[in-house]
Coordinates of all heavy atoms in Angstrom, one line a residue:
G1685 N 111.6 124.0 79.9 CA 112.4 124.3 78.6 C 112.6 123.0 77.9 O 112.1 122.0 78.2
A1686 N 113.4 123.1 76.8 CA 113.6 122.0 76.0 C 114.6 121.0 76.6 O 115.4 121.4 77.5 CB 114.2 122.5 74.6
L1687 N 114.5 119.8 76.2 CA 115.4 118.8 76.7 C 116.8 118.9 76.0 O 117.0 119.3 74.9 CB 114.8 117.4 76.4 CG 113.6 116.9 77.2 CD1 113.2 115.5 76.7 CD2 113.8 117.0 78.7
D1688 N 117.8 118.5 76.8 CA 119.2 118.3 76.2 C 119.2 116.9 75.5 O 119.4 115.9 76.2 CB 120.2 118.5 77.3 CG 121.6 118.4 76.8 OD1 121.8 118.3 75.6 OD2 122.6 118.5 77.6
T1689 N 119.2 116.9 74.2 CA 119.1 115.6 73.5 C 120.4 114.9 73.6 O 120.5 113.7 73.3 CB 118.8 115.9 72.0 OG1 119.7 116.8 71.5 CG2 117.4 116.4 71.9
K1690 N 121.5 115.6 74.1 CA 122.8 114.9 74.2 C 122.8 114.0 75.5 O 123.6 113.1 75.6 CB 123.9 115.9 74.2 CG 124.1 116.7 72.9 CD 125.3 117.6 73.1 CE 125.5 118.4 71.7 NZ 126.6 119.4 71.9
R1691 N 122.0 114.5 76.4 CA 121.9 113.7 77.7 C 120.6 112.8 77.8 O 120.8 111.8 78.4 CB 121.8 114.8 78.8 CG 123.0 115.7 79.0 CD 124.2 115.0 79.6 NE 123.7 114.2 80.8 CZ 124.3 113.1 81.1 NH1 125.3 112.6 80.4 NH2 123.9 112.4 82.2
V1692 N 119.6 113.2 77.2 CA 118.3 112.5 77.4 C 117.8 112.1 76.0 O 117.7 112.9 75.1 CB 117.2 113.4 78.1 CG1 115.9 112.6 78.3 CG2 117.7 113.9 79.4
N1693 N 117.4 110.7 75.9 CA 116.9 110.3 74.6 C 115.4 110.0 74.9 O 115.0 109.4 75.9 CB 117.6 109.0 74.2 CG 119.0 109.2 73.8 OD1 119.3 110.3 73.3 ND2 119.9 108.4 74.2
I1694 N 114.5 110.3 73.8 CA 113.1 110.0 73.9 C 112.7 109.1 72.7 O 113.1 109.4 71.6 CB 112.3 111.3 73.8 CG1 112.6 112.3 75.0 CG2 110.8 111.0 73.9 CD1 112.4 111.7 76.4
R1695 N 112.0 108.0 73.0 CA 111.5 107.1 72.1 C 110.1 106.9 72.2 O 109.6 106.5 73.3 CB 112.2 105.8 72.1 CG 113.7 105.8 72.1 CD 114.4 104.5 72.4 NE 115.8 104.6 72.5 CZ 116.6 103.6 72.9 NH1 116.1 102.5 73.2 NH2 117.9 103.8 72.9
S1696 N 109.2 107.3 71.1 CA 107.8 107.3 71.3 C 107.2 106.3 70.3 O 107.7 106.2 69.1 CB 107.1 108.7 71.2 OG 107.7 109.6 72.1
T1697 N 106.1 105.7 70.7 CA 105.4 104.8 69.8 C 104.0 105.3 69.9 O 103.5 106.4 70.4 CB 105.5 103.3 70.3 OG1 104.8 103.1 71.5 CG2 106.9 102.9 70.4
D1698 N 103.0 104.4 69.3 CA 101.6 104.8 69.3 C 101.0 104.6 70.7 O 99.9 105.2 71.0 CB 100.8 103.8 68.4 CG 101.2 104.0 66.9 OD1 101.9 105.0 66.6 OD2 100.8 103.2 66.1
R1699 N 101.7 103.9 71.6 CA 101.1 103.6 72.9 C 101.8 104.1 74.1 O 101.3 104.2 75.2 CB 100.9 102.1 73.1 CG 99.9 101.5 72.1 CD 99.8 99.9 72.3 NE 98.9 99.4 71.3 CZ 98.6 98.1 71.2 NH1 99.2 97.3 72.1 NH2 97.8 97.7 70.3
D1700 N 103.2 104.4 73.9 CA 103.9 104.8 75.0 C 105.1 105.7 74.6 O 105.4 105.8 73.4 CB 104.4 103.6 75.9 CG 105.2 102.6 75.1 OD1 105.9 103.1 74.2 OD2 105.0 101.4 75.3
S1701 N 105.8 106.3 75.6 CA 107.0 107.1 75.3 C 108.0 106.7 76.4 O 107.6 106.5 77.6 CB 106.7 108.6 75.4 OG 107.8 109.4 75.1
I1702 N 109.2 106.5 76.0 CA 110.3 106.1 76.8 C 111.3 107.2 77.1 O 111.9 107.8 76.1 CB 111.0 104.9 76.3 CG1 110.0 103.8 76.1 CG2 112.2 104.4 77.2 CD1 110.6 102.5 75.5
L1703 N 111.7 107.5 78.3 CA 112.7 108.5 78.7 C 113.9 107.7 79.0 O 113.9 106.9 80.0 CB 112.3 109.4 79.7 CG 113.2 110.6 80.2 CD1 112.4 111.8 80.5 CD2 114.1 110.1 81.3
F1704 N 115.1 107.9 78.3 CA 116.2 107.1 78.6 C 117.4 108.0 78.8 O 117.8 108.9 78.0 CB 116.5 106.2 77.3 CG 117.7 105.3 77.4 CD1 117.6 104.2 78.3 CD2 118.8 105.6 76.7 CE1 118.8 103.3 78.4 CE2 120.0 104.8 76.9 CZ 119.9 103.7 77.7
I1705 N 118.2 107.7 79.9 CA 119.5 108.3 80.2 C 120.5 107.2 80.4 O 120.3 106.4 81.3 CB 119.4 109.3 81.4 CG1 118.3 110.3 81.2 CG2 120.7 109.9 81.7 CD1 118.1 111.1 82.4
R1706 N 121.6 107.2 79.6 CA 122.6 106.1 79.7 C 123.3 106.1 81.1 O 123.4 105.1 81.7 CB 123.5 106.2 78.6 CG 124.5 105.1 78.4 CD 125.4 105.2 77.3 NE 124.5 105.2 76.0 CZ 124.0 104.1 75.5 NH1 124.3 102.9 75.9 NH2 123.3 104.2 74.4
A1707 N 123.8 107.3 81.4 CA 124.5 107.4 82.8 C 124.1 108.7 83.5 O 124.4 109.8 83.0 CB 126.0 107.3 82.6
A1708 N 123.2 108.7 84.5 CA 122.7 109.8 85.1 C 123.7 110.6 85.8 O 124.6 110.1 86.4 CB 121.6 109.4 86.1
E1709 N 123.5 112.0 85.7 CA 124.3 113.0 86.4 C 123.4 113.8 87.2 O 122.2 113.8 87.0 CB 125.2 113.8 85.3 CG 126.2 113.0 84.6 CD 127.3 112.4 85.3 OE1 127.6 112.9 86.5 OE2 128.0 111.5 84.9
R1710 N 124.0 114.6 88.1 CA 123.2 115.4 88.9 C 122.5 116.5 88.2 O 121.4 116.9 88.5 CB 124.1 116.1 90.0 CG 124.5 115.1 91.1 CD 125.4 115.7 92.1 NE 124.8 116.8 92.8 CZ 125.4 117.4 93.9 NH1 126.5 117.0 94.3 NH2 124.7 118.4 94.5
E1711 N 123.1 116.9 87.1 CA 122.3 117.9 86.3 C 121.1 117.4 85.6 O 120.3 118.1 85.0 CB 123.3 118.7 85.3 CG 123.9 117.6 84.3 CD 125.4 117.3 84.8 OE1 125.5 117.3 86.1 OE2 126.2 116.8 84.1
D1712 N 120.9 116.1 85.5 CA 119.7 115.5 85.0 C 118.6 115.6 85.9 O 117.4 115.3 85.5 CB 120.0 114.0 84.6 CG 121.0 113.9 83.6 OD1 121.2 114.7 82.7 OD2 121.8 112.9 83.5
S1713 N 118.7 116.1 87.1 CA 117.6 116.2 88.0 C 116.7 117.3 87.6 O 117.2 118.3 86.9 CB 118.1 116.5 89.4 OG 118.9 115.5 89.9
G1714 N 115.4 117.2 87.9 CA 114.5 118.2 87.5 C 113.1 117.7 87.3 O 112.9 116.5 87.6
V1715 N 112.2 118.6 86.9 CA 110.8 118.2 86.6 C 110.6 118.0 85.2 O 110.7 119.0 84.4 CB 109.9 119.3 87.2 CG1 108.4 118.9 86.9 CG2 110.0 119.5 88.7
Y1716 N 110.3 116.8 84.8 CA 110.0 116.4 83.3 C 108.6 116.3 83.1 O 107.8 115.9 83.9 CB 110.7 115.1 83.0 CG 112.2 115.1 83.0 CD1 112.9 115.1 84.2 CD2 112.9 115.2 81.8 CE1 114.3 115.0 84.2 CE2 114.3 115.2 81.8 CZ 115.0 115.1 83.0 OH 116.4 115.2 83.0
E1717 N 108.1 117.0 82.0 CA 106.7 117.0 81.6 C 106.5 116.4 80.3 O 107.2 116.8 79.3 CB 106.2 118.5 81.7 CG 104.6 118.6 81.5 CD 104.2 120.0 81.6 OE1 104.4 120.7 80.6 OE2 103.6 120.3 82.6
I1718 N 105.5 115.5 80.1 CA 105.2 114.9 78.9 C 103.8 115.5 78.4 O 102.9 115.6 79.3 CB 105.1 113.3 78.9 CG1 104.7 112.8 77.6 CG2 104.2 112.9 80.1 CD1 104.8 111.2 77.6
C1719 N 103.8 115.8 77.2 CA 102.5 116.4 76.6 C 102.1 115.5 75.4 O 102.8 115.3 74.6 CB 102.7 117.8 76.2 SG 101.2 118.6 75.5
V1720 N 100.9 115.0 75.5 CA 100.3 114.2 74.4 C 99.1 114.9 73.8 O 98.1 115.3 74.5 CB 99.8 112.8 75.1 CG1 99.2 111.9 73.9 CG2 100.9 112.1 75.7
K1721 N 99.1 115.1 72.5 CA 98.2 116.0 71.8 C 97.6 115.3 70.6 O 98.2 114.7 69.8 CB 98.9 117.3 71.4 CG 97.9 118.3 70.8 CD 98.7 119.7 70.6 CE 97.7 120.8 70.1 NZ 98.4 122.0 69.8
V1722 N 96.2 115.4 70.5 CA 95.5 114.9 69.4 C 94.5 116.0 69.0 O 93.6 116.4 69.7 CB 94.7 113.6 69.7 CG1 93.8 113.3 68.5 CG2 95.6 112.5 70.2
D1723 N 94.7 116.5 67.8 CA 93.9 117.7 67.3 C 94.0 118.8 68.3 O 95.1 119.3 68.6 CB 92.6 117.2 67.0 CG 92.4 116.2 65.8 OD1 93.4 116.2 65.1 OD2 91.5 115.4 65.9
D1724 N 92.9 119.2 68.8 CA 92.9 120.3 69.8 C 92.9 119.8 71.2 O 92.7 120.7 72.1 CB 91.6 121.1 69.5 CG 91.5 121.8 68.1 OD1 92.7 122.0 67.6 OD2 90.5 122.1 67.6
F1725 N 92.9 118.5 71.4 CA 93.0 118.0 72.7 C 94.4 117.6 73.2 O 95.1 117.2 72.4 CB 92.1 116.8 72.8 CG 90.6 117.0 72.4 CD1 90.2 116.7 71.2 CD2 89.8 117.7 73.3 CE1 88.9 116.9 70.8 CE2 88.4 117.9 72.9 CZ 88.0 117.5 71.6
E1726 N 94.7 117.8 74.5 CA 96.0 117.4 75.0 C 95.9 117.0 76.4 O 95.0 117.4 77.1 CB 97.0 118.5 74.8 CG 96.8 119.8 75.6 CD 97.8 120.8 75.5 OE1 98.5 120.8 74.4 OE2 97.9 121.7 76.4
D1727 N 96.9 116.2 76.9 CA 97.0 115.8 78.3 C 98.4 115.9 78.7 O 99.4 115.6 77.9 CB 96.4 114.4 78.4 CG 96.2 114.0 79.9 OD1 96.2 115.0 80.8 OD2 96.4 112.8 80.2
K1728 N 98.7 116.3 79.9 CA 100.1 116.4 80.4 C 100.3 115.7 81.7 O 99.3 115.4 82.5 CB 100.4 117.9 80.6 CG 100.3 118.7 79.3 CD 100.8 120.2 79.7 CE 100.7 121.1 78.4 NZ 101.1 122.5 78.7
A1729 N 101.5 115.3 82.0 CA 101.9 114.6 83.2 C 103.3 115.0 83.6 O 104.1 115.2 82.6 CB 101.7 113.2 83.1
Q1730 N 103.6 115.2 84.9 CA 104.9 115.5 85.3 C 105.5 114.4 86.2 O 104.8 113.7 86.9 CB 104.8 116.8 86.2 CG 104.4 118.0 85.4 CD 104.5 119.4 86.2 OE1 104.5 119.2 87.4 NE2 104.4 120.5 85.6
L1731 N 106.8 114.3 86.1 CA 107.5 113.4 86.9 C 108.8 114.1 87.4 O 109.4 114.8 86.6 CB 107.9 112.1 86.2 CG 108.7 112.0 85.0 CD1 110.2 111.8 85.3 CD2 108.3 111.0 84.0
T1732 N 109.1 113.9 88.7 CA 110.2 114.6 89.2 C 111.5 113.6 89.4 O 111.3 112.5 90.0 CB 110.0 115.2 90.6 OG1 108.8 116.1 90.5 CG2 111.2 115.9 91.2
L1733 N 112.6 113.9 88.7 CA 113.7 113.0 88.7 C 114.8 113.7 89.6 O 115.1 114.8 89.4 CB 114.2 112.8 87.3 CG 115.4 111.8 87.0 CD1 114.9 110.4 87.5 CD2 115.8 111.7 85.6
Q1734 N 115.4 112.8 90.5 CA 116.4 113.4 91.5 C 117.5 112.4 91.4 O 117.5 111.2 91.7 CB 115.8 113.5 92.9 CG 116.7 114.1 93.9 CD 116.2 114.2 95.3 OE1 115.1 113.8 95.5 NE2 117.0 114.7 96.2
I1735 N 118.7 112.9 91.0 CA 119.9 112.1 90.9 C 120.8 112.5 92.1 O 121.1 113.7 92.3 CB 120.7 112.4 89.6 CG1 119.7 112.2 88.4 CG2 121.8 111.5 89.5 CD1 119.0 110.9 88.3
V1736 N 121.1 111.6 92.9 CA 121.9 111.9 94.2 C 123.2 111.2 94.2 O 123.5 110.2 93.5 CB 121.0 111.4 95.4 CG1 119.7 112.1 95.4 CG2 120.7 110.0 95.4
E1737 N 124.1 111.6 95.1 CA 125.4 111.0 95.4 C 125.8 111.3 96.8 O 125.1 111.9 97.6 CB 126.4 111.6 94.4 CG 126.6 113.0 94.5 CD 127.7 113.5 93.5 OE1 128.4 112.7 92.9 OE2 127.8 114.8 93.3
L1738 N 127.0 110.8 97.2 CA 127.5 111.0 98.5 C 127.7 112.4 98.8 O 128.1 113.2 98.0 CB 128.8 110.2 98.8 CG 128.7 108.6 98.7 CD1 130.1 108.1 98.8 CD2 127.8 108.1 99.8
P1739 N 127.4 112.9 100.1 CA 127.6 114.3 100.4 C 129.1 114.6 100.7 O 130.0 113.8 100.8 CB 126.7 114.4 101.7 CG 126.9 113.1 102.4 CD 126.9 112.1 101.3
G1740 N 129.3 116.0 100.8 CA 130.6 116.4 101.2 C 130.7 116.4 102.7 O 129.7 116.2 103.4
P1741 N 131.9 116.6 103.3 CA 132.1 116.7 104.7 C 131.5 118.0 105.3 O 131.2 119.0 104.6 CB 133.6 116.7 104.9 CG 134.1 117.4 103.6 CD 133.2 116.9 102.5
P1742 N 131.3 118.0 106.6 CA 130.9 119.2 107.2 C 131.8 120.4 106.9 O 133.0 120.3 106.7 CB 130.8 119.0 108.7 CG 130.7 117.5 108.8 CD 131.5 116.9 107.6
A1743 N 131.2 121.6 106.8 CA 132.0 122.8 106.5 C 133.0 123.2 107.4 O 134.2 123.5 107.1 CB 131.0 124.0 106.2
S1744 N 132.7 122.9 108.7 CA 133.7 123.2 109.8 C 133.3 122.4 111.1 O 132.2 122.1 111.3 CB 133.7 124.8 110.1 OG 132.4 125.2 110.7
V1745 N 134.4 122.1 111.9 CA 134.2 121.5 113.1 C 135.1 122.1 114.2 O 136.3 122.4 113.9 CB 134.6 120.0 113.1 CG1 134.4 119.3 114.5 CG2 133.7 119.3 112.1
K1746 N 134.6 122.4 115.4 CA 135.5 123.1 116.4 C 135.1 122.5 117.8 O 134.0 122.0 118.0 CB 135.2 124.6 116.4 CG 133.9 125.0 116.9 CD 133.8 126.6 116.9 CE 132.4 127.0 117.4 NZ 132.3 128.5 117.5
V1747 N 136.1 122.6 118.7 CA 135.9 122.2 120.1 C 135.4 123.5 120.9 O 136.2 124.4 121.0 CB 137.2 121.7 120.6 CG1 137.0 121.3 122.1 CG2 137.7 120.4 119.9
A1748 N 134.1 123.4 121.3 CA 133.6 124.6 121.9 C 134.0 124.7 123.3 O 134.2 125.9 123.8 CB 132.1 124.5 121.8
D1749 N 134.2 123.6 124.0 CA 134.4 123.7 125.5 C 134.9 122.3 126.0 O 134.7 121.3 125.4 CB 133.2 124.1 126.3 CG 133.5 124.5 127.7 OD1 134.7 124.6 128.0 OD2 132.5 124.7 128.5
V1750 N 135.8 122.4 127.1 CA 136.3 121.2 127.7 C 136.2 121.4 129.2 O 136.6 122.4 129.8 CB 137.8 121.1 127.3 CG1 138.4 119.8 128.0 CG2 138.0 120.9 125.8
W1751 N 135.6 120.5 129.8 CA 135.5 120.5 131.3 C 135.4 119.1 131.9 O 134.8 118.2 131.3 CB 134.3 121.3 131.7 CG 132.9 120.6 131.5 CD1 132.2 119.9 132.4 CD2 132.2 120.5 130.3 NE1 131.1 119.3 131.9 CE2 131.0 119.8 130.5 CE3 132.4 121.0 129.0 CZ2 130.1 119.5 129.5 CZ3 131.5 120.7 128.0 CH2 130.3 120.0 128.3
G1752 N 136.1 118.9 133.0 CA 136.1 117.5 133.5 C 136.6 116.5 132.5 O 137.6 116.6 131.9
F1753 N 135.8 115.5 132.4 CA 136.0 114.4 131.4 C 135.2 114.6 130.2 O 135.0 113.6 129.4 CB 135.7 113.1 132.1 CG 136.5 112.8 133.4 CD1 135.8 113.0 134.6 CD2 137.7 112.4 133.4 CE1 136.5 112.8 135.8 CE2 138.4 112.2 134.5 CZ 137.8 112.4 135.8
N1754 N 134.7 115.8 129.8 CA 133.8 116.1 128.8 C 134.4 117.1 127.8 O 135.1 118.0 128.2 CB 132.5 116.6 129.3 CG 131.9 115.7 130.4 OD1 131.6 114.5 130.2 ND2 131.8 116.3 131.6
V1755 N 133.9 117.0 126.5 CA 134.3 117.9 125.5 C 133.0 118.2 124.7 O 132.2 117.4 124.3 CB 135.3 117.3 124.5 CG1 135.5 118.3 123.2 CG2 136.6 117.1 125.2
A1756 N 132.8 119.5 124.4 CA 131.6 120.0 123.6 C 132.1 120.4 122.2 O 133.0 121.1 122.0 CB 131.0 121.2 124.2
L1757 N 131.4 119.7 121.2 CA 131.8 119.9 119.8 C 130.6 120.6 119.1 O 129.4 120.4 119.4 CB 132.0 118.6 119.1 CG 133.3 117.7 119.6 CD1 133.3 116.4 118.7 CD2 134.5 118.5 119.3
E1758 N 131.0 121.4 118.1 CA 130.1 122.1 117.2 C 130.5 122.0 115.8 O 131.7 122.1 115.5 CB 129.8 123.6 117.7 CG 129.2 123.7 119.0 CD 129.0 125.1 119.3 OE1 129.5 126.1 118.5 OE2 128.4 125.4 120.4
W1759 N 129.6 121.9 114.9 CA 130.0 121.8 113.4 C 128.9 122.4 112.6 O 127.7 122.6 113.1 CB 130.3 120.4 113.0 CG 129.2 119.4 113.1 CD1 128.3 119.1 112.2 CD2 129.0 118.6 114.3 NE1 127.4 118.2 112.7 CE2 127.8 117.9 114.0 CE3 129.5 118.5 115.5 CZ2 127.3 116.9 114.9 CZ3 129.0 117.5 116.4 CH2 127.9 116.8 116.1
T1760 N 129.2 122.7 111.3 CA 128.2 123.2 110.4 C 127.9 122.3 109.3 O 128.7 121.3 109.0 CB 128.7 124.6 109.7 OG1 130.0 124.3 109.2 CG2 128.9 125.6 110.9
A1761 N 126.7 122.4 108.7 CA 126.3 121.5 107.6 C 127.2 121.5 106.4 O 127.9 122.5 106.2 CB 124.8 121.8 107.2
P1762 N 127.3 120.4 105.7 CA 128.3 120.5 104.4 C 127.7 121.4 103.4 O 126.5 121.7 103.2 CB 128.2 119.0 104.0 CG 126.9 118.5 104.5 CD 126.7 119.2 105.8
N1763 N 128.7 121.9 102.6 CA 128.3 122.7 101.5 C 127.6 122.0 100.3 O 126.8 122.5 99.7 CB 129.6 123.5 101.0 CG 130.2 124.4 102.0 OD1 129.5 125.0 102.8 ND2 131.6 124.5 102.0
D1764 N 128.1 120.7 100.2 CA 127.4 119.8 99.2 C 126.7 118.7 99.9 O 127.3 117.8 100.5 CB 128.5 119.3 98.3 CG 128.0 118.4 97.1 OD1 126.7 118.4 97.0 OD2 128.8 117.7 96.5
N1765 N 125.4 118.7 99.8 CA 124.6 117.6 100.4 C 124.4 116.5 99.5 O 123.5 115.5 99.9 CB 123.3 118.2 100.9 CG 122.4 118.7 99.8 OD1 122.8 118.7 98.6 ND2 121.2 119.2 100.1
G1766 N 124.9 116.4 98.3 CA 124.8 115.2 97.4 C 123.4 115.3 96.7 O 123.0 114.3 96.3

Side-chain angles (χ1 to χ4, degrees):
L1687 291 180
D1688 183 1
T1689 55
K1690 296 180 180 179
R1691 297 285 315 149
V1692 183
N1693 295 322
I1694 300 297
R1695 303 171 188 172
S1696 298
T1697 65
D1698 295 347
R1699 298 180 179 180
D1700 54 39
S1701 184
I1702 300 175
L1703 184 146
F1704 179 76
I1705 303 175
R1706 187 174 301 276
E1709 299 293 341
R1710 287 178 60 173
E1711 55 266 24
D1712 295 326
S1713 302
V1715 178
Y1716 291 78
E1717 184 177 76
I1718 178 175
C1719 178
V1720 180
K1721 188 173 182 180
V1722 176
D1723 296 335
D1724 296 333
F1725 303 101
E1726 66 178 21
D1727 189 29
K1728 298 180 179 181
Q1730 291 183 347
L1731 61 95
T1732 302
L1733 187 62
Q1734 183 177 3
I1735 310 301
V1736 301
E1737 61 181 342
L1738 293 175
S1744 63
V1745 178
K1746 69 176 182 177
V1747 177
D1749 194 6
V1750 179
W1751 73 98
F1753 305 99
N1754 310 299
V1755 172
L1757 294 179
E1758 293 180 357
W1759 60 90
T1760 55
N1763 297 326
D1764 181 9
N1765 62 0

